[in-house]
Amino acid sequence: MNFAQVIGQKEAKESLRRMCAEGRVPHALLLEGPAGSGKLPLALAFASYLLCEAPKDGDSCGQCRACRKTMEYVHPDLHFSFPVVGTKVTSDEYLPAWREALKNTPYMDLHHWLQSIGAENKQGNINKEECVLIARKLSFQPYESDKKVMIIWMAEALGKEGNRLLKLIEEPPHNTHFILISEEPEAILPTILSRCQRLRLARIAEEELAGALQAQGLSPERASEIAVLAEGNFRLALQWSSEADEEEGQLFVDWLRKCYLGKADELVEYAEKLAALGRERQKHLLQYGLQFIQQMMHWRMSRGQMPIRLREKQRLAAEKLASRLAFRQMEQVSELLDRSIAGIQRNAYAKVLFLDASLKMHKMIR
């Protein structure tokens, strides 16, 4: 991965180039920003730039031995740490799956990563054993480069175990660079944040997102529609451009219908069904719901002039419901979904959360 392959993020790329040109690359860099903005691709491109044997024109050369190895994610001085499941499981045990996932798309999110390793309803974390392994890896001299790079993806998954890395992050071995990546920096220990130089990425601009989608083979019209809907999230845009999101969309529409009808036995049954999905997929479903309701609100505000950019089945359902609801009702549902996402993130009991949300939604939309 090099800078040229990262979608958008011109200002962030320039900041990283200046750090290198001025010889002030931080020992700990935190890339933060919204989902799908390209934090992991940018971290990979920066790592490649740092390890490249012959960088040119503000980017890695793509031809040297180091670049060939970083492109395959096998450079011995490029290390990865990422959320896995299990109390004594480390990232190294999932490295083959991780490399395959990166080759598929470095714009993946935590939900898809955990699903790819069969996490089901378990949450990923970076545990004690992983922190010990990080320290051990970085205690060795570089193998092929004069630098070592450690990328910690979803650093919020460290939790309190991050305390074990404080001293290492503050005073790493010579020419060792940490690149932390986070969508929720407020969930990272303040003592770690204070030791990092922070660089925030913005959402990808619609024009840049549309251009990237056209490069994937979409028509300009379809690419433009998806770019608007995805709101700067390339991972989400990829889902919209395929059939991958169809199940979530239908799940949400079915849930809305049952909430509208308000039959108690069906609401209980569906709450159980949603509770069995696993927390990451539950968050994904609720986030889809927010987009669904947002499209309804745009359609209502424009008096039907602004098209609802959803798949055909979901679009028809959204138009039908939007014609029956007042704008304030849609706002209430959106706020409810927001609170539900926060509840899932706080490990709320999912069955109770979805049943409570179902009952409240029934009152809101009837």
Side-chain angles (χ1 to χ4, degrees):
M1 196 86 189
N2 56 31
F3 287 135
Q5 294 172 302
V6 178
I7 303 167
Q9 304 303 346
K10 181 179 179 180
E11 292 183 6
K13 292 175 189 176
E14 287 304 315
S15 293
L16 296 176
R17 289 189 180 108
R18 281 197 303 271
M19 290 177 188
C20 292
E22 298 170 4
R24 53 180 184 86
V25 178
H27 55 77
L29 174 69
L30 172 63
L31 298 179
E32 56 184 275
S37 56
K39 299 177 293 299
L40 179 54
L42 188 61
L44 294 169
F46 189 41
S48 183
Y49 191 46
L50 290 172
L51 296 172
C52 179
E53 296 168 0
K56 59 180 181 180
D57 301 325
D59 211 340
S60 52
C61 71
Q63 302 296 323
C64 68
R65 179 183 63 171
C67 283
R68 291 196 300 270
K69 289 187 176 183
T70 54
M71 282 191 290
E72 295 295 321
Y73 313 112
V74 294
H75 195 295
D77 297 314
L78 175 59
H79 306 282
F80 297 100
S81 178
F82 42 84
V84 294
V85 293
T87 55
K88 295 187 178 181
V89 180
T90 65
S91 297
D92 277 7
E93 297 175 48
Y94 287 97
L95 270 179
W98 172 256
R99 289 170 180 145
E100 191 62 33
L102 289 179
K103 290 175 183 178
N104 181 39
T105 174
Y107 285 86
M108 65 180 168
D109 58 23
L110 184 59
H111 165 73
H112 288 88
W113 163 243
L114 292 177
Q115 291 299 307
S116 73
I117 61 173
E120 298 178 351
N121 63 343
K122 298 176 182 177
Q123 287 191 299
N125 65 87
I126 300 175
N127 56 35
K128 170 187 172 182
E129 284 71 18
E130 178 74 7
C131 293
V132 172
L133 182 60
I134 289 172
R136 187 164 69 248
K137 285 179 178 179
L138 298 183
S139 68
F140 298 117
Q141 293 295 317
Y143 288 92
E144 295 180 3
S145 174
D146 61 345
K147 304 179 184 70
K148 290 176 291 184
V149 180
M150 169 60 74
I151 295 177
I152 303 180
W153 184 60
M154 297 299 180
E156 53 266 39
L158 280 165
K160 293 182 179 179
E161 295 299 339
N163 281 314
R164 300 178 183 275
L165 299 178
L166 287 180
K167 185 66 174 177
L168 186 60
I169 291 175
E170 184 175 18
E171 297 179 6
H174 180 63
N175 271 357
T176 297
H177 302 284
F178 281 91
I179 305 177
L180 281 67
I181 300 167
S182 176
E183 291 176 5
E184 300 176 18
E186 66 278 1
I188 299 175
L189 291 174
T191 46
I192 289 183
L193 291 178
S194 66
R195 288 163 170 78
C196 296
Q197 183 169 328
R198 300 170 70 171
L199 180 61
R200 182 163 185 83
L201 275 63
R203 296 182 185 277
I204 301 172
E206 286 181 15
E207 298 79 9
E208 293 167 330
L209 204 58
L213 290 171
Q214 288 182 54
Q216 297 279 327
L218 271 67
S219 68
E221 295 77 15
R222 181 60 177 157
S224 179
E225 288 180 3
I226 293 175
V228 171
L229 184 63
E231 297 184 328
N233 184 332
F234 185 62
R235 173 67 209 186
L236 189 59
L238 288 176
Q239 289 178 250
W240 281 106
S241 65
S242 69
E243 298 296 326
D245 68 314
E246 184 70 22
E247 188 176 356
E248 257 79 5
Q250 198 54 49
L251 272 173
F252 183 75
V253 169
D254 290 345
W255 185 33
L256 271 182
R257 287 182 179 135
K258 293 183 185 301
C259 290
Y260 185 82
L261 295 173
K263 296 180 180 179
D265 56 338
E266 291 186 359
L267 292 181
V268 171
E269 182 181 352
Y270 215 73
E272 292 175 346
K273 179 177 181 177
L274 297 180
L277 293 178
R279 293 190 182 276
E280 292 303 323
R281 193 170 173 200
Q282 288 161 5
K283 285 190 285 187
H284 195 258
L285 173 71
L286 293 167
Q287 287 163 350
Y288 175 91
L290 282 173
Q291 295 168 334
F292 186 97
I293 300 300
Q294 185 181 67
Q295 289 293 307
M296 288 172 53
M297 294 168 75
H298 289 166
W299 185 82
R300 187 61 180 267
M301 283 191 297
S302 69
R303 299 180 184 275
Q305 296 302 305
M306 183 180 291
I308 292 179
R309 293 185 171 93
L310 296 171
R311 294 188 179 279
E312 185 67 13
K313 290 181 181 179
Q314 287 80 41
R315 181 184 64 78
L316 294 173
E319 288 179 354
K320 185 176 181 180
L321 186 59
S323 65
R324 298 181 180 180
L325 299 184
F327 192 81
R328 178 54 187 158
Q329 289 174 292
M330 298 181 210
E331 285 184 322
Q332 290 175 333
V333 173
S334 180
E335 291 165 2
L336 175 63
L337 294 174
D338 256 332
R339 292 195 300 272
S340 298
I341 292 172
I344 293 296
Q345 291 172 334
R346 292 194 300 268
N347 295 322
Y349 184 44
K351 181 178 176 180
V352 173
L353 183 147
F354 279 108
L355 182 56
D356 179 66
S358 299
L359 295 171
K360 288 178 179 176
M361 198 181 302
H362 173 67
K363 292 181 180 179
M364 290 174 182
I365 63 180
R366 285 305 297 251

